[in-house]
Amino acid sequence: MNRLAVVIPVWNKIYWTQKTIESLIKCTKSELTIILVDDNSTDDTMSYSLELGHRLNENGTHFYYHKNEKNIGVNAAWNTGLRIAMATGIENICIANNDLLFTDGWDLPLIDALNNGYWLVSPYSTEMTLPNDWPNGGNRHTNPVSEAMKILGACFMFQPKLIEAIGYFPEEFRIYFGDNWIQDMTRVRELKTGHIRESYIHHFFCQTTSGLDNNKLFAEDGAAYNEYCKNFKLDPTT
């Protein structure tokens, strides 16, 4: 059986985390490991996670919960989860937001693509408002932000060999542009990436960061990413 580790960074918003994890457990066909990286939430995330760990580890789903002492940002949280995943030796790793719904067997087409020439893959998605025909609708997006992006930042999958080739996520940009970075690092190496239509999820879009000054944060992280690209002579994806 395929083995899959799903890294989910969280910061409060326990309602969305619960919906995401319950959907993930129900719909994933691979042997599943969930790695929840908590950026020092102040709501019920910890108590939910402790209860969840007891429940999941009893039924065969592996669960790791790591709570940071402070909010270290999304890219750093991804790195924390990645180090746990890499240490387990699991063959497939997914980075996922905590505001997602999955469809039955969503993981299998992505893993199949990774085993057949792709290095970095994402599902198709719908965004924000759940469609009336969910989960069987055909009106699916590739990326709602930019057609230039060949992955969906809310959910993307790769194998450990990619991290071994490009390294861990830079932490200069705290919330945004980590998905740009991993795509750009595969693009300059001419590694195959893309959306896999047979895999389908719904993304409720930026629920974790709702209430923050996202325009300001996006601009700050964008400036940091552009500076990073200059230093490493990358032509950034927009």
mmCIF file of all heavy atoms in Angstrom, residues 160-209:
data_model
loop_
_atom_site.group_PDB
_atom_site.id
_atom_site.type_symbol
_atom_site.label_atom_id
_atom_site.label_comp_id
_atom_site.label_asym_id
_atom_site.label_seq_id
_atom_site.Cartn_x
_atom_site.Cartn_y
_atom_site.Cartn_z
ATOM 1 N N PRO A 160 10.262 12.600 -1.042
ATOM 2 C CA PRO A 160 11.437 13.120 -0.336
ATOM 3 C C PRO A 160 12.598 13.495 -1.249
ATOM 4 O O PRO A 160 13.378 14.401 -0.917
ATOM 5 C CB PRO A 160 11.811 11.969 0.611
ATOM 6 C CG PRO A 160 10.508 11.290 0.889
ATOM 7 C CD PRO A 160 9.756 11.352 -0.405
ATOM 8 N N LYS A 161 12.730 12.835 -2.398
ATOM 9 C CA LYS A 161 13.848 13.154 -3.289
ATOM 10 C C LYS A 161 13.830 14.615 -3.735
ATOM 11 O O LYS A 161 14.885 15.182 -4.037
ATOM 12 C CB LYS A 161 13.839 12.229 -4.502
ATOM 13 C CG LYS A 161 12.636 12.393 -5.409
ATOM 14 C CD LYS A 161 12.691 11.416 -6.583
ATOM 15 C CE LYS A 161 11.503 11.592 -7.522
ATOM 16 N NZ LYS A 161 11.553 10.637 -8.664
ATOM 17 N N LEU A 162 12.635 15.241 -3.769
ATOM 18 C CA LEU A 162 12.579 16.653 -4.156
ATOM 19 C C LEU A 162 13.227 17.533 -3.092
ATOM 20 O O LEU A 162 14.015 18.433 -3.418
ATOM 21 C CB LEU A 162 11.132 17.089 -4.400
ATOM 22 C CG LEU A 162 10.954 18.562 -4.777
ATOM 23 C CD1 LEU A 162 11.704 18.897 -6.061
ATOM 24 C CD2 LEU A 162 9.479 18.921 -4.920
ATOM 25 N N ILE A 163 12.920 17.290 -1.827
ATOM 26 C CA ILE A 163 13.513 18.076 -0.748
ATOM 27 C C ILE A 163 15.011 17.813 -0.679
ATOM 28 O O ILE A 163 15.812 18.722 -0.399
ATOM 29 C CB ILE A 163 12.832 17.748 0.588
ATOM 30 C CG1 ILE A 163 11.329 18.065 0.502
ATOM 31 C CG2 ILE A 163 13.465 18.529 1.734
ATOM 32 C CD1 ILE A 163 11.012 19.485 0.103
ATOM 33 N N GLU A 164 15.410 16.583 -0.937
ATOM 34 C CA GLU A 164 16.849 16.275 -0.969
ATOM 35 C C GLU A 164 17.554 17.047 -2.072
ATOM 36 O O GLU A 164 18.732 17.403 -1.947
ATOM 37 C CB GLU A 164 17.031 14.769 -1.148
ATOM 38 C CG GLU A 164 16.575 13.960 0.068
ATOM 39 C CD GLU A 164 16.397 12.481 -0.238
ATOM 40 O OE1 GLU A 164 16.615 12.088 -1.414
ATOM 41 O OE2 GLU A 164 16.026 11.724 0.681
ATOM 42 N N ALA A 165 16.822 17.343 -3.160
ATOM 43 C CA ALA A 165 17.418 18.057 -4.295
ATOM 44 C C ALA A 165 17.437 19.568 -4.101
ATOM 45 O O ALA A 165 18.384 20.234 -4.516
ATOM 46 C CB ALA A 165 16.659 17.716 -5.574
ATOM 47 N N ILE A 166 16.395 20.134 -3.476
ATOM 48 C CA ILE A 166 16.272 21.595 -3.420
ATOM 49 C C ILE A 166 16.391 22.173 -2.022
ATOM 50 O O ILE A 166 16.542 23.380 -1.853
ATOM 51 C CB ILE A 166 14.943 22.066 -4.049
ATOM 52 C CG1 ILE A 166 13.743 21.644 -3.195
ATOM 53 C CG2 ILE A 166 14.811 21.561 -5.478
ATOM 54 C CD1 ILE A 166 12.416 22.183 -3.687
ATOM 55 N N GLY A 167 16.323 21.338 -0.984
ATOM 56 C CA GLY A 167 16.395 21.818 0.386
ATOM 57 C C GLY A 167 15.024 22.163 0.953
ATOM 58 O O GLY A 167 13.995 22.000 0.295
ATOM 59 N N TYR A 168 15.043 22.648 2.187
ATOM 60 C CA TYR A 168 13.814 23.009 2.879
ATOM 61 C C TYR A 168 13.381 24.428 2.510
ATOM 62 O O TYR A 168 14.133 25.190 1.906
ATOM 63 C CB TYR A 168 14.006 22.879 4.387
ATOM 64 C CG TYR A 168 14.083 21.440 4.854
ATOM 65 C CD1 TYR A 168 15.289 20.739 4.817
ATOM 66 C CD2 TYR A 168 12.957 20.773 5.315
ATOM 67 C CE1 TYR A 168 15.368 19.414 5.230
ATOM 68 C CE2 TYR A 168 13.012 19.461 5.733
ATOM 69 C CZ TYR A 168 14.214 18.779 5.689
ATOM 70 O OH TYR A 168 14.285 17.474 6.077
ATOM 71 N N PHE A 169 12.162 24.775 2.892
ATOM 72 C CA PHE A 169 11.593 26.076 2.532
ATOM 73 C C PHE A 169 12.368 27.211 3.197
ATOM 74 O O PHE A 169 12.645 27.156 4.401
ATOM 75 C CB PHE A 169 10.125 26.157 2.960
ATOM 76 C CG PHE A 169 9.211 25.292 2.156
ATOM 77 C CD1 PHE A 169 8.983 23.975 2.507
ATOM 78 C CD2 PHE A 169 8.568 25.795 1.031
ATOM 79 C CE1 PHE A 169 8.144 23.164 1.770
ATOM 80 C CE2 PHE A 169 7.728 24.995 0.275
ATOM 81 C CZ PHE A 169 7.516 23.671 0.647
ATOM 82 N N PRO A 170 12.707 28.262 2.446
ATOM 83 C CA PRO A 170 13.296 29.459 3.067
ATOM 84 C C PRO A 170 12.285 30.085 4.022
ATOM 85 O O PRO A 170 11.080 30.061 3.766
ATOM 86 C CB PRO A 170 13.565 30.381 1.877
ATOM 87 C CG PRO A 170 13.530 29.503 0.679
ATOM 88 C CD PRO A 170 12.567 28.412 0.996
ATOM 89 N N GLU A 171 12.765 30.647 5.097
ATOM 90 C CA GLU A 171 11.865 31.186 6.116
ATOM 91 C C GLU A 171 11.862 32.711 6.163
ATOM 92 O O GLU A 171 11.266 33.307 7.062
ATOM 93 C CB GLU A 171 12.224 30.572 7.474
ATOM 94 C CG GLU A 171 12.053 29.060 7.465
ATOM 95 C CD GLU A 171 12.451 28.362 8.757
ATOM 96 O OE1 GLU A 171 12.694 29.086 9.762
ATOM 97 O OE2 GLU A 171 12.523 27.113 8.774
ATOM 98 N N GLU A 172 12.490 33.347 5.160
ATOM 99 C CA GLU A 172 12.495 34.809 5.111
ATOM 100 C C GLU A 172 11.092 35.365 4.859
ATOM 101 O O GLU A 172 10.760 36.446 5.325
ATOM 102 C CB GLU A 172 13.432 35.308 4.007
ATOM 103 C CG GLU A 172 14.896 35.019 4.243
ATOM 104 C CD GLU A 172 15.337 33.713 3.602
ATOM 105 O OE1 GLU A 172 14.533 32.750 3.584
ATOM 106 O OE2 GLU A 172 16.484 33.659 3.139
ATOM 107 N N PHE A 173 10.293 34.649 4.099
ATOM 108 C CA PHE A 173 8.896 35.051 3.852
ATOM 109 C C PHE A 173 8.014 34.118 4.675
ATOM 110 O O PHE A 173 8.024 32.908 4.514
ATOM 111 C CB PHE A 173 8.554 35.004 2.358
ATOM 112 C CG PHE A 173 9.391 34.065 1.537
ATOM 113 C CD1 PHE A 173 8.918 32.824 1.152
ATOM 114 C CD2 PHE A 173 10.678 34.436 1.148
ATOM 115 C CE1 PHE A 173 9.699 31.957 0.400
ATOM 116 C CE2 PHE A 173 11.467 33.566 0.392
ATOM 117 C CZ PHE A 173 10.974 32.323 0.024
ATOM 118 N N ARG A 174 7.239 34.673 5.605
ATOM 119 C CA ARG A 174 6.674 33.890 6.700
ATOM 120 C C ARG A 174 5.379 33.172 6.344
ATOM 121 O O ARG A 174 5.115 32.072 6.829
ATOM 122 C CB ARG A 174 6.448 34.784 7.922
ATOM 123 C CG ARG A 174 7.727 35.379 8.505
ATOM 124 C CD ARG A 174 7.458 36.132 9.780
ATOM 125 N NE ARG A 174 7.072 35.233 10.867
ATOM 126 C CZ ARG A 174 5.873 35.186 11.417
ATOM 127 N NH1 ARG A 174 4.918 35.987 10.980
ATOM 128 N NH2 ARG A 174 5.610 34.358 12.397
ATOM 129 N N ILE A 175 4.522 33.787 5.536
ATOM 130 C CA ILE A 175 3.180 33.234 5.321
ATOM 131 C C ILE A 175 2.962 32.860 3.865
ATOM 132 O O ILE A 175 2.456 31.773 3.559
ATOM 133 C CB ILE A 175 2.102 34.233 5.787
ATOM 134 C CG1 ILE A 175 2.210 34.450 7.302
ATOM 135 C CG2 ILE A 175 0.705 33.733 5.422
ATOM 136 C CD1 ILE A 175 1.222 35.450 7.857
ATOM 137 N N TYR A 176 3.347 33.738 2.971
ATOM 138 C CA TYR A 176 3.083 33.533 1.547
ATOM 139 C C TYR A 176 4.368 33.199 0.788
ATOM 140 O O TYR A 176 5.470 33.340 1.295
ATOM 141 C CB TYR A 176 2.431 34.782 0.946
ATOM 142 C CG TYR A 176 1.097 35.104 1.582
ATOM 143 C CD1 TYR A 176 0.976 36.134 2.508
ATOM 144 C CD2 TYR A 176 -0.036 34.365 1.262
ATOM 145 C CE1 TYR A 176 -0.242 36.424 3.095
ATOM 146 C CE2 TYR A 176 -1.262 34.646 1.844
ATOM 147 C CZ TYR A 176 -1.358 35.679 2.765
ATOM 148 O OH TYR A 176 -2.567 35.958 3.353
ATOM 149 N N PHE A 177 4.183 32.726 -0.441
ATOM 150 C CA PHE A 177 5.247 32.525 -1.433
ATOM 151 C C PHE A 177 6.069 31.248 -1.237
ATOM 152 O O PHE A 177 6.970 30.984 -2.032
ATOM 153 C CB PHE A 177 6.170 33.745 -1.525
ATOM 154 C CG PHE A 177 5.477 34.944 -2.108
ATOM 155 C CD1 PHE A 177 4.871 35.875 -1.278
ATOM 156 C CD2 PHE A 177 5.399 35.115 -3.478
ATOM 157 C CE1 PHE A 177 4.196 36.972 -1.812
ATOM 158 C CE2 PHE A 177 4.734 36.195 -4.009
ATOM 159 C CZ PHE A 177 4.127 37.133 -3.187
ATOM 160 N N GLY A 178 5.768 30.436 -0.256
ATOM 161 C CA GLY A 178 6.432 29.141 -0.171
ATOM 162 C C GLY A 178 6.066 28.248 -1.344
ATOM 163 O O GLY A 178 6.911 27.508 -1.863
ATOM 164 N N ASP A 179 4.809 28.340 -1.782
ATOM 165 C CA ASP A 179 4.390 27.547 -2.944
ATOM 166 C C ASP A 179 5.058 28.065 -4.214
ATOM 167 O O ASP A 179 5.431 27.280 -5.093
ATOM 168 C CB ASP A 179 2.865 27.543 -3.081
ATOM 169 C CG ASP A 179 2.256 28.939 -3.053
ATOM 170 O OD1 ASP A 179 2.910 29.882 -2.583
ATOM 171 O OD2 ASP A 179 1.105 29.083 -3.492
ATOM 172 N N ASN A 180 5.227 29.384 -4.330
ATOM 173 C CA ASN A 180 5.981 29.926 -5.465
ATOM 174 C C ASN A 180 7.408 29.393 -5.470
ATOM 175 O O ASN A 180 7.942 29.012 -6.509
ATOM 176 C CB ASN A 180 6.032 31.455 -5.401
ATOM 177 C CG ASN A 180 4.675 32.099 -5.569
ATOM 178 O OD1 ASN A 180 3.854 32.037 -4.646
ATOM 179 N ND2 ASN A 180 4.423 32.718 -6.704
ATOM 180 N N TRP A 181 8.010 29.381 -4.277
ATOM 181 C CA TRP A 181 9.407 28.959 -4.179
ATOM 182 C C TRP A 181 9.591 27.526 -4.642
ATOM 183 O O TRP A 181 10.479 27.245 -5.457
ATOM 184 C CB TRP A 181 9.897 29.104 -2.731
ATOM 185 C CG TRP A 181 11.274 28.566 -2.532
ATOM 186 C CD1 TRP A 181 12.452 29.199 -2.788
ATOM 187 C CD2 TRP A 181 11.622 27.253 -2.074
ATOM 188 N NE1 TRP A 181 13.512 28.367 -2.496
ATOM 189 C CE2 TRP A 181 13.026 27.164 -2.062
ATOM 190 C CE3 TRP A 181 10.874 26.146 -1.661
ATOM 191 C CZ2 TRP A 181 13.698 26.013 -1.655
ATOM 192 C CZ3 TRP A 181 11.542 24.998 -1.262
ATOM 193 C CH2 TRP A 181 12.938 24.943 -1.264
ATOM 194 N N ILE A 182 8.766 26.608 -4.154
ATOM 195 C CA ILE A 182 8.976 25.208 -4.505
ATOM 196 C C ILE A 182 8.706 24.978 -5.989
ATOM 197 O O ILE A 182 9.375 24.177 -6.635
ATOM 198 C CB ILE A 182 8.141 24.265 -3.610
ATOM 199 C CG1 ILE A 182 8.677 22.832 -3.708
ATOM 200 C CG2 ILE A 182 6.664 24.331 -3.929
ATOM 201 C CD1 ILE A 182 8.084 21.878 -2.680
ATOM 202 N N GLN A 183 7.749 25.723 -6.550
ATOM 203 C CA GLN A 183 7.523 25.599 -7.987
ATOM 204 C C GLN A 183 8.692 26.163 -8.777
ATOM 205 O O GLN A 183 9.152 25.563 -9.758
ATOM 206 C CB GLN A 183 6.243 26.323 -8.406
ATOM 207 C CG GLN A 183 6.047 26.280 -9.917
ATOM 208 C CD GLN A 183 4.738 26.878 -10.346
ATOM 209 O OE1 GLN A 183 3.691 26.304 -10.138
ATOM 210 N NE2 GLN A 183 4.797 28.044 -10.967
ATOM 211 N N ASP A 184 9.207 27.324 -8.373
ATOM 212 C CA ASP A 184 10.319 27.928 -9.093
ATOM 213 C C ASP A 184 11.577 27.061 -9.019
ATOM 214 O O ASP A 184 12.334 26.956 -9.992
ATOM 215 C CB ASP A 184 10.618 29.322 -8.544
ATOM 216 C CG ASP A 184 9.566 30.338 -8.951
ATOM 217 O OD1 ASP A 184 8.876 30.098 -9.955
ATOM 218 O OD2 ASP A 184 9.420 31.359 -8.265
ATOM 219 N N MET A 185 11.786 26.416 -7.873
ATOM 220 C CA MET A 185 12.964 25.568 -7.724
ATOM 221 C C MET A 185 12.871 24.314 -8.592
ATOM 222 O O MET A 185 13.893 23.787 -9.041
ATOM 223 C CB MET A 185 13.157 25.183 -6.259
ATOM 224 C CG MET A 185 13.486 26.364 -5.351
ATOM 225 S SD MET A 185 15.014 27.231 -5.799
ATOM 226 C CE MET A 185 16.222 26.106 -5.123
ATOM 227 N N THR A 186 11.653 23.826 -8.831
ATOM 228 C CA THR A 186 11.500 22.695 -9.761
ATOM 229 C C THR A 186 11.605 23.174 -11.204
ATOM 230 O O THR A 186 12.174 22.479 -12.052
ATOM 231 C CB THR A 186 10.160 21.977 -9.546
ATOM 232 O OG1 THR A 186 9.082 22.912 -9.628
ATOM 233 C CG2 THR A 186 10.121 21.292 -8.202
ATOM 234 N N ARG A 187 11.095 24.378 -11.476
ATOM 235 C CA ARG A 187 11.103 24.892 -12.851
ATOM 236 C C ARG A 187 12.530 25.108 -13.351
ATOM 237 O O ARG A 187 12.856 24.740 -14.482
ATOM 238 C CB ARG A 187 10.313 26.197 -12.918
ATOM 239 C CG ARG A 187 10.317 26.874 -14.286
ATOM 240 C CD ARG A 187 9.414 28.088 -14.291
ATOM 241 N NE ARG A 187 9.710 28.995 -13.217
ATOM 242 C CZ ARG A 187 10.673 29.910 -13.233
ATOM 243 N NH1 ARG A 187 11.467 30.014 -14.299
ATOM 244 N NH2 ARG A 187 10.866 30.720 -12.219
ATOM 245 N N VAL A 188 13.385 25.701 -12.521
ATOM 246 C CA VAL A 188 14.753 25.973 -12.983
ATOM 247 C C VAL A 188 15.544 24.681 -13.184
ATOM 248 O O VAL A 188 16.530 24.661 -13.913
ATOM 249 C CB VAL A 188 15.504 26.921 -12.023
ATOM 250 C CG1 VAL A 188 14.810 28.266 -11.951
ATOM 251 C CG2 VAL A 188 15.652 26.309 -10.635
ATOM 252 N N ARG A 189 15.103 23.611 -12.560
ATOM 253 C CA ARG A 189 15.754 22.304 -12.741
ATOM 254 C C ARG A 189 15.072 21.480 -13.836
ATOM 255 O O ARG A 189 15.447 20.344 -14.078
ATOM 256 C CB ARG A 189 15.736 21.527 -11.419
ATOM 257 C CG ARG A 189 16.681 22.122 -10.379
ATOM 258 C CD ARG A 189 16.421 21.521 -9.006
ATOM 259 N NE ARG A 189 17.459 21.909 -8.042
ATOM 260 C CZ ARG A 189 17.510 23.089 -7.441
ATOM 261 N NH1 ARG A 189 16.603 24.013 -7.705
ATOM 262 N NH2 ARG A 189 18.479 23.363 -6.579
ATOM 263 N N GLU A 190 14.043 22.067 -14.443
ATOM 264 C CA GLU A 190 13.287 21.419 -15.522
ATOM 265 C C GLU A 190 12.682 20.094 -15.061
ATOM 266 O O GLU A 190 12.670 19.090 -15.780
ATOM 267 C CB GLU A 190 14.160 21.227 -16.769
ATOM 268 C CG GLU A 190 14.657 22.551 -17.341
ATOM 269 C CD GLU A 190 15.460 22.382 -18.619
ATOM 270 O OE1 GLU A 190 15.882 21.238 -18.917
ATOM 271 O OE2 GLU A 190 15.652 23.384 -19.328
ATOM 272 N N LEU A 191 12.147 20.099 -13.841
ATOM 273 C CA LEU A 191 11.455 18.938 -13.292
ATOM 274 C C LEU A 191 9.965 19.059 -13.578
ATOM 275 O O LEU A 191 9.399 20.152 -13.517
ATOM 276 C CB LEU A 191 11.695 18.836 -11.782
ATOM 277 C CG LEU A 191 13.167 18.790 -11.350
ATOM 278 C CD1 LEU A 191 13.276 18.793 -9.835
ATOM 279 C CD2 LEU A 191 13.875 17.578 -11.939
ATOM 280 N N LYS A 192 9.329 17.965 -13.850
ATOM 281 C CA LYS A 192 7.935 17.972 -14.290
ATOM 282 C C LYS A 192 6.998 18.230 -13.116
ATOM 283 O O LYS A 192 7.059 17.548 -12.085
ATOM 284 C CB LYS A 192 7.592 16.634 -14.955
ATOM 285 C CG LYS A 192 6.241 16.621 -15.665
ATOM 286 C CD LYS A 192 6.048 15.296 -16.396
ATOM 287 C CE LYS A 192 4.726 15.279 -17.158
ATOM 288 N NZ LYS A 192 4.530 13.984 -17.867
ATOM 289 N N THR A 193 6.119 19.213 -13.266
ATOM 290 C CA THR A 193 5.132 19.555 -12.240
ATOM 291 C C THR A 193 3.775 19.748 -12.894
ATOM 292 O O THR A 193 3.689 19.954 -14.107
ATOM 293 C CB THR A 193 5.519 20.852 -11.506
ATOM 294 O OG1 THR A 193 5.382 21.964 -12.411
ATOM 295 C CG2 THR A 193 6.937 20.806 -10.996
ATOM 296 N N GLY A 194 2.715 19.728 -12.086
ATOM 297 C CA GLY A 194 1.416 20.025 -12.674
ATOM 298 C C GLY A 194 0.235 19.610 -11.827
ATOM 299 O O GLY A 194 0.360 18.898 -10.829
ATOM 300 N N HIS A 195 -0.933 20.093 -12.250
ATOM 301 C CA HIS A 195 -2.208 19.697 -11.658
ATOM 302 C C HIS A 195 -2.646 18.365 -12.258
ATOM 303 O O HIS A 195 -2.458 18.117 -13.454
ATOM 304 C CB HIS A 195 -3.277 20.745 -11.939
ATOM 305 C CG HIS A 195 -2.979 22.089 -11.331
ATOM 306 N ND1 HIS A 195 -3.342 22.415 -10.053
ATOM 307 C CD2 HIS A 195 -2.356 23.172 -11.839
ATOM 308 C CE1 HIS A 195 -2.950 23.650 -9.787
ATOM 309 N NE2 HIS A 195 -2.344 24.129 -10.851
ATOM 310 N N ILE A 196 -3.245 17.527 -11.447
ATOM 311 C CA ILE A 196 -3.724 16.223 -11.885
ATOM 312 C C ILE A 196 -5.247 16.228 -11.779
ATOM 313 O O ILE A 196 -5.810 16.228 -10.680
ATOM 314 C CB ILE A 196 -3.121 15.094 -11.031
ATOM 315 C CG1 ILE A 196 -1.590 15.207 -10.985
ATOM 316 C CG2 ILE A 196 -3.567 13.734 -11.553
ATOM 317 C CD1 ILE A 196 -0.900 15.159 -12.334
ATOM 318 N N ARG A 197 -5.918 16.277 -12.926
ATOM 319 C CA ARG A 197 -7.358 16.504 -12.948
ATOM 320 C C ARG A 197 -8.154 15.428 -12.208
ATOM 321 O O ARG A 197 -9.222 15.697 -11.649
ATOM 322 C CB ARG A 197 -7.858 16.613 -14.392
ATOM 323 C CG ARG A 197 -9.326 17.036 -14.452
ATOM 324 C CD ARG A 197 -9.815 17.331 -15.856
ATOM 325 N NE ARG A 197 -11.193 17.768 -15.804
ATOM 326 C CZ ARG A 197 -11.593 19.009 -15.587
ATOM 327 N NH1 ARG A 197 -10.700 19.959 -15.399
ATOM 328 N NH2 ARG A 197 -12.872 19.323 -15.540
ATOM 329 N N GLU A 198 -7.647 14.200 -12.195
ATOM 330 C CA GLU A 198 -8.385 13.108 -11.557
ATOM 331 C C GLU A 198 -8.482 13.275 -10.039
ATOM 332 O O GLU A 198 -9.276 12.595 -9.383
ATOM 333 C CB GLU A 198 -7.730 11.769 -11.890
ATOM 334 C CG GLU A 198 -7.838 11.374 -13.351
ATOM 335 C CD GLU A 198 -6.852 12.100 -14.254
ATOM 336 O OE1 GLU A 198 -5.924 12.756 -13.734
ATOM 337 O OE2 GLU A 198 -7.020 12.015 -15.490
ATOM 338 N N SER A 199 -7.654 14.154 -9.485
ATOM 339 C CA SER A 199 -7.694 14.450 -8.053
ATOM 340 C C SER A 199 -8.422 15.772 -7.839
ATOM 341 O O SER A 199 -8.138 16.761 -8.520
ATOM 342 C CB SER A 199 -6.270 14.532 -7.497
ATOM 343 O OG SER A 199 -6.276 14.850 -6.128
ATOM 344 N N TYR A 200 -9.319 15.809 -6.868
ATOM 345 C CA TYR A 200 -10.219 16.962 -6.733
ATOM 346 C C TYR A 200 -10.465 17.254 -5.254
ATOM 347 O O TYR A 200 -10.787 16.353 -4.475
ATOM 348 C CB TYR A 200 -11.528 16.634 -7.453
ATOM 349 C CG TYR A 200 -12.643 17.645 -7.348
ATOM 350 C CD1 TYR A 200 -12.407 19.013 -7.320
ATOM 351 C CD2 TYR A 200 -13.971 17.207 -7.309
ATOM 352 C CE1 TYR A 200 -13.457 19.916 -7.245
ATOM 353 C CE2 TYR A 200 -15.027 18.105 -7.239
ATOM 354 C CZ TYR A 200 -14.764 19.457 -7.209
ATOM 355 O OH TYR A 200 -15.806 20.349 -7.132
ATOM 356 N N ILE A 201 -10.292 18.532 -4.876
ATOM 357 C CA ILE A 201 -10.575 18.970 -3.508
ATOM 358 C C ILE A 201 -11.343 20.296 -3.557
ATOM 359 O O ILE A 201 -11.481 20.918 -4.608
ATOM 360 C CB ILE A 201 -9.279 19.163 -2.686
ATOM 361 C CG1 ILE A 201 -8.462 20.349 -3.241
ATOM 362 C CG2 ILE A 201 -8.444 17.894 -2.660
ATOM 363 C CD1 ILE A 201 -7.312 20.768 -2.335
ATOM 364 N N HIS A 202 -11.829 20.719 -2.392
ATOM 365 C CA HIS A 202 -12.381 22.071 -2.265
ATOM 366 C C HIS A 202 -11.556 22.840 -1.240
ATOM 367 O O HIS A 202 -11.188 22.315 -0.192
ATOM 368 C CB HIS A 202 -13.839 22.055 -1.811
ATOM 369 C CG HIS A 202 -14.404 23.441 -1.672
ATOM 370 N ND1 HIS A 202 -14.751 24.205 -2.765
ATOM 371 C CD2 HIS A 202 -14.629 24.221 -0.584
ATOM 372 C CE1 HIS A 202 -15.194 25.384 -2.351
ATOM 373 N NE2 HIS A 202 -15.117 25.417 -1.038
ATOM 374 N N HIS A 203 -11.276 24.102 -1.572
ATOM 375 C CA HIS A 203 -10.483 24.984 -0.710
ATOM 376 C C HIS A 203 -11.351 26.161 -0.297
ATOM 377 O O HIS A 203 -11.817 26.926 -1.147
ATOM 378 C CB HIS A 203 -9.245 25.469 -1.486
ATOM 379 C CG HIS A 203 -8.387 26.417 -0.738
ATOM 380 N ND1 HIS A 203 -7.656 27.414 -1.358
ATOM 381 C CD2 HIS A 203 -8.123 26.536 0.589
ATOM 382 C CE1 HIS A 203 -6.992 28.091 -0.455
ATOM 383 N NE2 HIS A 203 -7.257 27.583 0.738
ATOM 384 N N PHE A 204 -11.561 26.321 1.004
ATOM 385 C CA PHE A 204 -12.398 27.425 1.486
ATOM 386 C C PHE A 204 -11.674 28.769 1.446
ATOM 387 O O PHE A 204 -12.301 29.800 1.638
ATOM 388 C CB PHE A 204 -12.913 27.125 2.892
ATOM 389 C CG PHE A 204 -13.987 26.077 2.906
ATOM 390 C CD1 PHE A 204 -13.682 24.767 3.221
ATOM 391 C CD2 PHE A 204 -15.288 26.391 2.573
ATOM 392 C CE1 PHE A 204 -14.663 23.788 3.222
ATOM 393 C CE2 PHE A 204 -16.282 25.424 2.574
ATOM 394 C CZ PHE A 204 -15.973 24.119 2.899
ATOM 395 N N PHE A 205 -10.366 28.775 1.216
ATOM 396 C CA PHE A 205 -9.568 29.941 0.844
ATOM 397 C C PHE A 205 -9.288 30.893 2.009
ATOM 398 O O PHE A 205 -10.132 31.667 2.443
ATOM 399 C CB PHE A 205 -10.218 30.716 -0.304
ATOM 400 C CG PHE A 205 -9.241 31.580 -1.074
ATOM 401 C CD1 PHE A 205 -8.339 30.999 -1.945
ATOM 402 C CD2 PHE A 205 -9.216 32.944 -0.911
ATOM 403 C CE1 PHE A 205 -7.426 31.768 -2.657
ATOM 404 C CE2 PHE A 205 -8.313 33.736 -1.608
ATOM 405 C CZ PHE A 205 -7.419 33.144 -2.484
ATOM 406 N N CYS A 206 -8.069 30.806 2.502
ATOM 407 C CA CYS A 206 -7.512 31.784 3.460
ATOM 408 C C CYS A 206 -8.309 31.899 4.761
ATOM 409 O O CYS A 206 -8.367 32.989 5.348
ATOM 410 C CB CYS A 206 -7.379 33.158 2.808
ATOM 411 S SG CYS A 206 -6.129 33.204 1.509
ATOM 412 N N GLN A 207 -8.894 30.796 5.223
ATOM 413 C CA GLN A 207 -9.631 30.866 6.482
ATOM 414 C C GLN A 207 -8.699 31.040 7.679
ATOM 415 O O GLN A 207 -9.022 31.741 8.632
ATOM 416 C CB GLN A 207 -10.481 29.599 6.649
ATOM 417 C CG GLN A 207 -11.583 29.457 5.628
ATOM 418 C CD GLN A 207 -12.541 30.631 5.620
ATOM 419 O OE1 GLN A 207 -12.939 31.128 6.682
ATOM 420 N NE2 GLN A 207 -12.913 31.087 4.433
ATOM 421 N N THR A 208 -7.526 30.422 7.624
ATOM 422 C CA THR A 208 -6.601 30.526 8.746
ATOM 423 C C THR A 208 -6.116 31.959 8.943
ATOM 424 O O THR A 208 -5.937 32.426 10.068
ATOM 425 C CB THR A 208 -5.394 29.595 8.539
ATOM 426 O OG1 THR A 208 -5.868 28.250 8.485
ATOM 427 C CG2 THR A 208 -4.393 29.713 9.671
ATOM 428 N N THR A 209 -5.907 32.678 7.846
ATOM 429 C CA THR A 209 -5.384 34.042 7.945
ATOM 430 C C THR A 209 -6.485 35.101 7.922
ATOM 431 O O THR A 209 -6.180 36.287 7.884
ATOM 432 C CB THR A 209 -4.395 34.326 6.797
ATOM 433 O OG1 THR A 209 -5.058 34.124 5.537
ATOM 434 C CG2 THR A 209 -3.182 33.415 6.898
#
